[in-house]
Structure formats: C-alpha cells, structure tokens
Amino acid sequence: HRLRAGLPLEPVFDAWEARTPAAPMRDTSRTLGRALLRLVRRLFPDSPHLAEVAGLERPCRPIVLAAAAATSGIAPASLGRLVAYDDLQTVASASLKLLPLDPLDATSWVHDLLPEAERLATDVAPLTEPHHIPAPSAPQLDLWAQTHAHTTRRLFSA
C-alpha cells in the first residue's frame, strides 16, 4: 500500500505499532480509524488515498487521518495542530467525567498547552520517514490501558 508519492504504508504502520506498545491502545486506534474512515469516505468517495487505506485490514487513526488530510489538502502542520487539539480536548473532557472539576479548569489546561501543541505540530510537520517519527513514552498510560482492558467496569470505550 502507498499513500503519497509512491511511499509504502507498511513501514509507517510498523512504526506506529512499535510506538504504541499496549494492545488495547492499538485496538482503540483501529476502532477510531475505522469510524473515521467511514466518515471521510462518505465525504470524499472518489479519493484514491482513502481507497488505498480502506484496503488495509485494520487501519489505525493516524494513517486514516493522514489519508484524509492528503485528500482534503490539509497541510501537515495543520493536521498536527488538529490532532494535538483533539487529543488535548479528549483528555480534558474525560477528566470532567472522572473528577469533580470546574469545566473552566479543564479548558484552561487545553489553553495552556496550545503553545506546546504548536511546537509539536511544527516539529513533526516536515517528517517523511517512518524512522524519524518521535517515540515519546508513557508507560503508565500503557499499563492503565492494559489493566482497563481486563476489568469488568468500563470507564470509556471508543
């Protein structure tokens, strides 16, 4: 599979998988990817990028987002900003469901992290090689995801 300029998707998918060690996190990303792909294929039914990604067995969210951005002409830095904001807002929203917080506090967290989101978006925008993809680590999140996958009480599900 190839997404842009004849570049194969498999190394990108492998790099994503290596940077997402917790199987429950990979499964959630694939669930989100499948739902997002359904939406963007409806918006852009003739997109060769989306058709190619749809050919993957279980496309993950980042690859679907990249295909959607390529299809709609979203620049890499803009996609980075969109993903960073979406992830920040998801965490802030979840915190309001789990903790007795003032919604303004959660909104402030997102606002205060926007400069960092901008820096990250700018840093990753020019990357084109899978081995250059950053690999930050969050071992505690991986452990929580694995524990949550084996509990009978569900907090969230994609």
Side-chain angles (χ1 to χ4, degrees), residues 16 20 22-34 58 149 158:
W16 165 78
T20 312
M25 300 286 265
R26 289 193 306 269
D27 290 343
T28 297
S29 181
R30 289 177 179 127
T31 299
L32 292 170
R34 185 174 53 244
R58 296 181 67 205

Side-chain angles (χ1 to χ4, degrees), residues 12-106:
V12 176
F13 185 79
D14 291 345
W16 165 78
E17 210 165 45
R19 287 157 177 78
T20 312
M25 300 286 265
R26 289 193 306 269
D27 290 343
T28 297
S29 181
R30 289 177 179 127
T31 299
L32 292 170
R34 185 174 53 244
L36 180 60
L37 182 59
R38 183 172 175 244
L39 169 68
V40 294
R41 286 194 78 191
R42 181 164 290 183
L43 295 172
F44 304 102
D46 299 325
S47 167
H49 299 303
L50 295 173
E52 182 176 347
V53 170
L56 295 174
E57 186 175 332
R58 296 181 67 205
C60 58
R61 176 180 175 245
I63 289 180
V64 175
L65 283 168
T71 296
S72 59
I74 295 174
S78 294
L79 177 60
R81 284 183 205 95
L82 176 97
V83 169
Y85 179 79
D86 184 49
D87 288 349
L88 289 171
Q89 190 57 43
T90 297
V91 171
S93 177
S95 72
L96 294 173
K97 295 174 185 169
L98 296 171
L99 303 168
L101 293 172
D102 182 336
L104 289 176
D105 290 337

Side-chain angles (χ1 to χ4, degrees), residues 105-119:
D105 290 337
T107 301
S108 293
W109 298 342
V110 173
H111 176 268
D112 293 348
L113 287 169
L114 289 177
E116 180 65 11
E118 177 63 29
R119 185 192 66 74

